[in-house]
Every structure is written in C-alpha cells, then in structure tokens.
Amino acid sequence: MLSTHSWRAATLGALSMLLAAQTPPPAAPKPPATGAPAAGAPAAGPAAPLGQKPFAEVIKDAKETKGFFTLWQKEEKVWIEIAPDQLDKPFFFQANLSRGLGEGRLYNGTMLNGNSQLHLAAFKKVNSQIQFLQKNSIYSATKGSAVAEAVASGFSDSLLASTPIVSQPHPDRKSVLVEASGLLFSDIPAIAFQMEQLYRQNYSFDAKNTSFQKLRGNDEETTLDVQAHFQLPRIATPPPMATPGMPVPRLPGSLSDPRSMFLGLLYSFRKLPAEPMSPRVADDRVGYFTTRTLDFSEATDQAKDRTVNYVTRWRLEKKDPGAALSEAKKPIVYWLDKNIPEKWRKPIADGILEWNKAFERIGFKDAVQVKQQPADADWDTSDASHASVGWMVASEPGFVAIGPSNYDPRTGEILDADVGFNEVLTRRGHSSWLQETGRRTGFPAQEADDIQAASRQMDLGAAVLEARGDLPTEGPDYDAFMYEWVKYISIHEIGHTLGLTHNFRGSTIYSWDQLADKAFTKENGLAASIMEYMGINIAPKGEKQGQPFMTTLGPYDYWAIEYAYKPIEPKKEAEELARIAARSHEKSLGFGRDEEVAGMDPEVNMWDIGPDVLEFAQRQARITRELVGVLETTQLKPGENYEVLTRRFNMALATFGQACGFAAKHLGGVIHLRDHAGSPRLPLNPVPAAKQRET
C-alpha cells in the first residue's frame, strides 16, 4: 500500500549526482610498451599495456557462467567478459536487496532504484580502463539532426565505477576481461547516504570484507549477488543539549553490533529491447507514473514546454491484432516468491488476476498471469527478469506493502516490478506496535502516521465487528475477512506496478445504500478506484453492514488501463487519447494526486469512504464512541494483559481525530478539478457556504 514513490523521487533523484562526486576518478592508464620493429620486419600491432595477460591465462581453471555478459569465477575472483559490440551500448541495470537490515527501508527484496534514472547504464573503454557509466536519458533530440549533436555534448553522464582491463583481447571474440569487484565493490545504491539521512551515522562501504555469493546468467541477463559489508568506524553520539525538532544521531536497532552490517546487493545487467516500444504521452487527468524527457527537436520550437512525459506501462501486443479478444504476445507474468506463507498465496494471486477484467475490456485475454516459484528454485525472484511478489520481515515500521517498478527511460516501457508485502500486514494489533516502534526509532512523523492509519483499517474493522458479535476471532468467517483485506492490498500494489499512481478523489461516488449492498460492491467496488486508500466500510451500529474491503476494480481503473494500454493505430493515437481523457469530467473518473491530500480540497483524502466526506466523519465518530463504550465494560480474563484495552482505546482515539481532520478541510475548502477547457465544470469550486456552516 504505502509505496512512497514520492519519497523515492525526492531522495534517489539526487543520488546519481552524489555518486559521481563520491566516486574516485579512474586511475591514470599505464603507458603502453614501446619499441620499434627491426629493419625489414613487418610492423607489429600495438603492444598490450603492462599488466594485461593473455585472455586464456587470466581465466585458467575458472568456472564459466554464460549470460548477457559472460562471467568467469576462480575462488574469490570474478571477471566480467565484455565484447567489443557491448561497449558504448546502453543496457538495463538494476539493484535489489537480496538480504536486508530489517529497518530503515532496507528490507529483503526491496528494489533499491525503483522509479529512478539509475537503470540505464553502459561500459566505455578509455585507454586501458573500463568505465561503468550511468547514462543521462533525460535530454533528447531528433536522431541525426544538428541539434542532437548539441544535446550529446550539452549534458553529462555519471561515472559509477572504473577498473583496469586485466586481459589481452580474446584471439577470436576480441572481448576483454575486467574484475567484477572493481565495478561493483562500491556503494552504488548509496546505502551510506540513506543511513546518514536516517541515523546520522557515517557508515562506509568496506570492500575488503565484501564478496560475491551467487552468479547467474542467460542470453538476456546476468546477475551477481554481492555480500556487501558496511562499517561504522566511529559512533556519533547525540549532543548533551539537542535542539528540539532537530535530528540527532541514533543507531539501528536490529544489529547485534551497530558498527557492522552485511547487506545482499543483487545486481542485474539486462539487455534492453532491440526495438524500443512506442511511447504513449501522459495526460494530467489520468494518474500514471511517467518518464520525463526534455525534447530539443526542431519540431518543438513553438512548444510552450519542451518537457514530454510518457506513461510507464508494460509492452502489450495482441497475438492476433484483428481479433476482438486476443492473448498477448508476451503476457505480464508475476512470480510469487517461495518465501510467501502458503496461507496468503491465494488472496495475493487473486488480487493480481483481478486486473484481467480491465485488460479484457480492451481486447486482451489473460494479459496478467501468476506463477509460483518452486520450493527448490536456486534463482532469485528479485532479479530483473521476473516481475515478482515477495514477503518481507521488519523490526520497525516502513510500509505495509510496496509496489515499485523499473522501466526503459527512453520510452516508459516497464521492464521489471517487485511487489513486497510486509508480514505485519496480516498481524492483528500491529497498529499499536507500529505506533510504539515509530516513536522509538524516530521514523519520519508523517510516514509513521500514514503507516499506522493503513494498519488501523483492518484492526479497527475487526475490533468493532468482534465487539458486536459479527466476527469471530478465528474460523472461516475471520479467514474470509482477512482474505478480502489481503486481496485488496494485492490489487492496489499490482496497480502501481502496472504504472498507476494513487487516486485519492475516488471514494465518494457510491451512496450508503450501495455500500451496504455486498452484491453491488463485489461487482462495482467501494470507490471509483482501487488506487485509493479507502477507509474500511464499517456501518454504524444498527445499520446494514456491507463488504468491509474493496476486492475488485472501480470504473476509474478500467478507464486508466484503457488510456495507457488500449491498442491504437499510430496515426489515430493523439485523437483517441484526447477522446479518452476528455471523459475526466464524469463523476466516477475524477483524479487526485498524493500532494493534494494536504491541500484545501475536502474531496481528496486518505481513509475516507462514502458519498459525503462530512457525513463519513460523523459516522466514524459514532463508531469510535461505540467502541469506547464497549471497552468500558470489557472484562479481561485472569492473567490477560491490559495492553489489549489500551491498544483499542488508542485506535478509537486516533480514528476520531482523523474524522475531525476530514471535517476541518471543509472550512475555506476549494474543490480542484483537473478538467481541461471544454468541460462543463469549472476547475476551482469553493465549498458551499451551507456546507461550511454544517461543519
């Protein structure tokens, strides 16, 4: 759920510049051996630089791992073989955590560079060195044009690492060898930067105690699993008199010794698509993650803005373009990691497959598929070849679930996605645990509040229904309740990996009678979009109780999938996309971004539901009073901890405070609509005076 794409953009967006500044410049190449040929002898080719041994001598007795880049390993040494046609040719580069810290967002399975520019890389030969470059993909111009030359020389790539070539060219393949440690034994994902931000401790990468764990490869990809050691030479201590509100040094709580930690860094080198996907221009009325480029082509000279945003989406093409319903040439396949408890595999898989309803409407059959990683598999679902869903464990709050993806920045084509479910998702009472650990660890206040609010939805609903006698604490009914909760989270996170952002305007389209009708909501959902953070659908006491969680797609979701994925003839695309987006004025297709939640629009919220936000706040107040009343007369069993009462009271109090916040947004509120010119509605609409007085 709380995927924190905005957090990633804010922190990771600056890392490429920092990496270039922190990476030492490449060592000066050694001068080649010289010597004139004897008189009358044929001219010899340039001698190999000093230190470069024959290719066969370097890899003698080494084990070969064939792949996109072939690897050779002998004891602790690993060499990467780079062919001449692989130089100066961009490839997809991705970093994941195969083993984590359990806190500080460093969780097993985390995509470290999700939604950043880190994933377009290249190898460049400079004299006797190989430079590992992060390519600058933001700026473009028409290929072959004069201005393309200016763009090429106007903006810089960034250096990730540099290492000497250690072999002479292969006699047949002409490829050369470099030590993989010279390219990968450094802090490429800027873990130390993240630790500095969170803990105010100066951790550093320790290459001496870093090693390779596993190597894998195929024709499309090469992966190297690095056991990376980070050390803290000196522990920073808080000042005796800290300024209130200012961050102070602290230590990770999950380490046996905070001066040392090992992290698994899974690096994937993957071949880019031979033919780039045709990009699709984004529209601000439909919520998609985008890849941004500044286009300096002559054709944009009259444009108001050179910025072009393309939606991020998977490449979906029909096997039979002429058929109304066709299978995809290459479906979107999600692999369930073997680390997911068997109990939760079905609701997760059912949530993934729910998206097929939207793809069927635009002509794709079984576009989204699910496969299970075998129990004896020796490969990692976090590599760049598998869109995956995995299970995470943590000692502190970070997120309930997360759905990042990586894409080709040239076109927006999604190439990989790795959904993570935190095990706290399915644990009752975890909202108070999150609150306590968030306070203890000093986790960012706003994010800790959001995480607790997400956790509170399931906890609150279960507590209220249990108090009424409508939900047993175990058995088939409770299992069904939890199934719907996990399925809801699964659909939401998969939506992110299909490219969709949050939509916080979609919760007000259905009446209370419709929300109380389980048959209606199973078919139509609880809100316009599954990409909402919906408040749990709990009716006040005495009213008909509907489905607590949304377990299907809403009308906005079908519309958004149509915009990004509908097959359209290129010459008709601009017109057809404009027609689709122009429907944004329909009530069920409104869109509100993350940053608007903190604004003045009372219709853009997290954790609300129902046709009237103010009435929802009143209903929430009634529910919390009911729960507190039950707590006043609750008799604990002998020996039972009073913490259960404290937890439920705190949960009720937090819910009541949240309801007050919903009401307050009506005072001086302005409803902001994203309609373009020609819509029957105005873009800015003050909350009616009568509604403000009602507040």
Side-chain angles (χ1 to χ4, degrees):
M1 178 167 275
L2 297 162
S3 54
T4 65
H5 291 290
S6 57
W7 179 89
R8 291 181 179 275
T11 56
L12 292 174
L15 296 187
S16 60
M17 294 181 289
L18 289 170
L19 286 168
Q22 294 173 353
T23 303
K30 297 179 180 180
T34 59
L50 295 176
Q52 291 186 2
K53 299 178 181 179
F55 191 104
E57 183 179 337
V58 175
I59 63 167
K60 184 181 179 182
D61 299 326
K63 178 184 176 182
E64 180 183 22
T65 301
K66 289 185 177 295
F68 174 43
F69 291 102
T70 295
L71 304 175
W72 300 88
Q73 183 174 24
K74 182 167 59 177
E75 297 175 347
E76 78 279 2
K77 291 275 191 178
V78 174
W79 296 274
I80 301 177
E81 181 177 346
I82 304 174
D85 62 357
Q86 292 176 316
L87 293 169
D88 302 310
K89 186 175 182 179
F91 56 84
F92 182 69
F93 175 65
Q94 180 171 293
N96 283 61
L97 272 183
S98 53
R99 295 167 298 282
L101 178 63
E103 60 178 282
R105 295 192 178 277
L106 296 174
Y107 306 144
N108 58 299
T110 303
M111 183 179 281
L112 290 173
N113 56 330
N115 303 298
S116 78
Q117 292 291 329
L118 184 59
H119 37 250
L120 197 64
F123 290 137
K124 182 179 181 65
K125 183 177 181 295
V126 179
N127 298 322
S128 60
Q129 297 279 127
I130 291 293
Q131 292 182 345
F132 184 20
L133 299 178
Q134 178 182 331
K135 300 296 292 181
N136 191 330
S137 59
I138 298 175
Y139 309 97
S140 67
T142 303
K143 190 174 182 179
S145 66
V147 74
E149 294 291 329
V151 170
S153 60
F155 304 100
S156 177
D157 295 329
S158 297
L159 180 66
L160 296 177
S162 180
T163 194
I165 297 170
V166 298
S167 77
Q168 298 170 17
H170 188 279
D172 300 319
R173 299 191 294 268
K174 307 304 179 187
S175 51
V176 296
L177 296 168
V178 296
E179 287 196 26
S181 60
L183 297 178
L184 299 179
F185 281 14
S186 62
D187 189 10
I188 293 177
I191 300 294
F193 176 79
Q194 185 171 337
M195 300 293 284
E196 173 73 17
Q197 278 196 319
L198 189 58
Y199 299 104
R200 293 299 189 269
Q201 298 287 352
N202 190 26
Y203 281 90
S204 60
F205 188 93
D206 175 20
K208 182 178 63 175
N209 291 298
T210 294
S211 59
F212 290 105
Q213 297 293 294
K214 295 179 181 178
L215 309 177
R216 289 185 294 275
N218 55 54
D219 290 343
E220 299 292 318
E221 181 184 38
T222 294
T223 60
L224 302 95
D225 192 349
V226 175
Q227 179 84 331
H229 185 243
F230 289 82
Q231 61 185 359
L232 183 60
R234 178 182 177 277
I235 296 177
T237 56
M241 296 292 291
T243 304
M246 292 296 291
V248 296
R250 61 188 185 89
L251 294 169
S254 61
L255 294 170
S256 55
D257 186 330
R259 295 171 297 179
S260 168
M261 66 174 177
F262 289 97
L263 297 176
L265 301 179
L266 186 71
Y267 291 117
S268 297
F269 299 81
R270 179 178 168 185
K271 187 182 298 184
L272 283 169
E275 182 67 29
M277 181 186 72
S278 177
R280 182 159 290 185
V281 176
D283 190 290
D284 68 325
R285 293 167 288 186
V286 190
Y288 270 90
F289 297 111
T290 61
T291 180
R292 179 176 67 95
T293 182
L294 268 66
D295 189 357
F296 289 89
S297 302
E298 290 87 340
T300 64
D301 284 347
Q302 303 303 316
K304 295 178 182 178
D305 189 353
R306 294 190 182 279
T307 302
V308 180
N309 291 298
Y310 298 127
V311 298
T312 60
R313 59 180 184 144
W314 295 88
R315 185 187 302 215
L316 272 186
E317 300 169 336
K318 288 185 174 182
K319 281 185 178 179
D320 183 357
L325 185 65
S326 169
E327 294 180 337
K329 290 181 181 178
K330 185 178 180 181
I332 306 168
V333 179
Y334 290 89
W335 285 85
L336 301 188
D337 197 289
K338 59 186 178 182
N339 67 9
I340 300 175
E342 291 188 13
K343 181 178 182 179
W344 306 117
R345 292 178 183 178
K346 179 172 173 50
I348 290 173
D350 289 350
I352 296 170
L353 295 174
E354 195 72 19
W355 283 99
N356 275 324
K357 294 179 179 179
F359 286 105
E360 286 172 5
R361 284 198 184 181
I362 58 172
F364 288 99
K365 179 183 179 182
D366 298 328
V368 179
Q369 300 179 10
V370 176
K371 294 184 179 181
Q372 176 64 54
Q373 183 191 29
D376 60 352
D378 63 352
W379 47 273
D380 198 314
T381 60
S382 293
D383 64 24
S385 294
H386 297 86
S388 67
V389 182
W391 204 252
M392 298 177 175
V393 292
S395 63
E396 68 165 35
F399 43 73
V400 172
I402 189 171
S405 60
N406 270 337
Y407 50 84
D408 183 343
R410 304 169 301 175
T411 64
E413 179 182 358
I414 297 176
L415 299 175
D416 188 33
D418 293 310
V419 176
F421 284 85
N422 193 324
E423 62 84 29
V424 76
L425 171 75
T426 58
R427 184 146 53 89
R428 283 294 306 279
H430 59 265
S431 59
S432 62
W433 171 78
L434 288 168
Q435 184 177 24
E436 176 58 31
T437 53
R439 183 186 306 114
R440 173 178 57 80
T441 60
F443 204 79
Q446 183 58 54
E447 292 186 17
D449 289 345
D450 291 345
I451 296 161
Q452 292 155 26
S455 306
R456 194 163 57 238
Q457 300 307 307
M458 184 270 285
D459 220 4
L460 173 70
V464 172
L465 294 176
E466 285 172 4
R468 294 175 184 172
D470 295 336
L471 181 69
T473 56
E474 58 183 18
D477 289 343
Y478 184 77
D479 290 342
F481 177 86
M482 291 301 298
Y483 167 89
E484 291 193 359
W485 165 244
V486 176
K487 183 181 178 183
Y488 158 53
I489 300 298
S490 176
I491 306 171
H492 179 100
E493 295 306 333
I494 294 302
H496 282 316
T497 67
L498 295 173
L500 279 74
T501 64
H502 291 134
N503 178 7
F504 293 129
R505 187 180 291 282
S507 56
T508 59
I509 69 169
Y510 296 135
S511 69
W512 296 117
D513 287 341
Q514 288 172 319
L515 293 175
D517 185 341
K518 292 183 179 180
F520 176 87
T521 56
K522 283 184 181 294
E523 177 68 23
N524 301 284
L526 301 175
S529 175
I530 195 72
M531 304 315 294
E532 265 273 11
Y533 287 176
M534 282 159 287
I536 186 170
N537 184 29
I538 297 295
K541 191 173 183 179
E543 296 186 15
K544 184 179 178 182
Q545 176 59 50
Q547 186 182 13
F549 305 109
M550 185 165 173
T551 56
T552 191
L553 307 180
Y556 169 89
D557 305 315
Y558 287 95
W559 178 63
I561 290 296
E562 179 186 12
Y563 183 89
Y565 288 94
K566 181 180 180 180
I568 307 172
E569 293 181 33
K571 63 182 180 181
K572 297 180 180 179
E573 184 167 292
E575 179 183 354
E576 179 63 9
L577 292 179
R579 184 196 66 79
I580 295 171
R583 294 181 56 206
S584 66
H585 67 272
E586 298 176 19
K587 182 180 179 181
S588 61
L589 304 183
F591 169 54
R593 302 185 68 88
D594 289 59
E595 56 267 26
E596 296 176 45
V597 172
M600 301 174 64
D601 192 334
E603 293 184 355
V604 181
N605 300 295
M606 299 178 183
W607 317 120
D608 67 328
I609 195 172
D612 185 290
V613 178
L614 189 57
E615 187 176 353
F616 171 74
Q618 295 166 344
R619 291 164 68 95
Q620 288 287 89
R622 289 165 58 189
I623 289 170
T624 55
R625 291 192 186 101
E626 174 193 349
L627 182 56
V628 170
V630 171
L631 294 178
E632 289 178 344
T633 59
T634 297
Q635 295 294 318
L636 297 180
K637 298 176 182 178
E640 193 172 0
N641 196 316
Y642 282 104
E643 189 272 339
V644 65
L645 298 180
T646 302
R647 172 173 59 82
R648 292 193 174 184
F649 178 80
N650 288 340
M651 182 170 57
L653 188 63
T655 302
F656 185 84
Q658 186 181 65
C660 294
F662 293 145
K665 288 183 72 174
H666 289 76
L667 299 174
V670 177
I671 298 170
H672 171 217
L673 304 175
R674 291 181 167 271
D675 298 9
H676 288 191
S679 166
R681 307 184 300 183
L682 295 174
L684 297 176
N685 301 269
V687 175
K691 197 71 173 178
Q692 295 193 47
R693 294 190 185 99
E694 183 183 348
T695 302

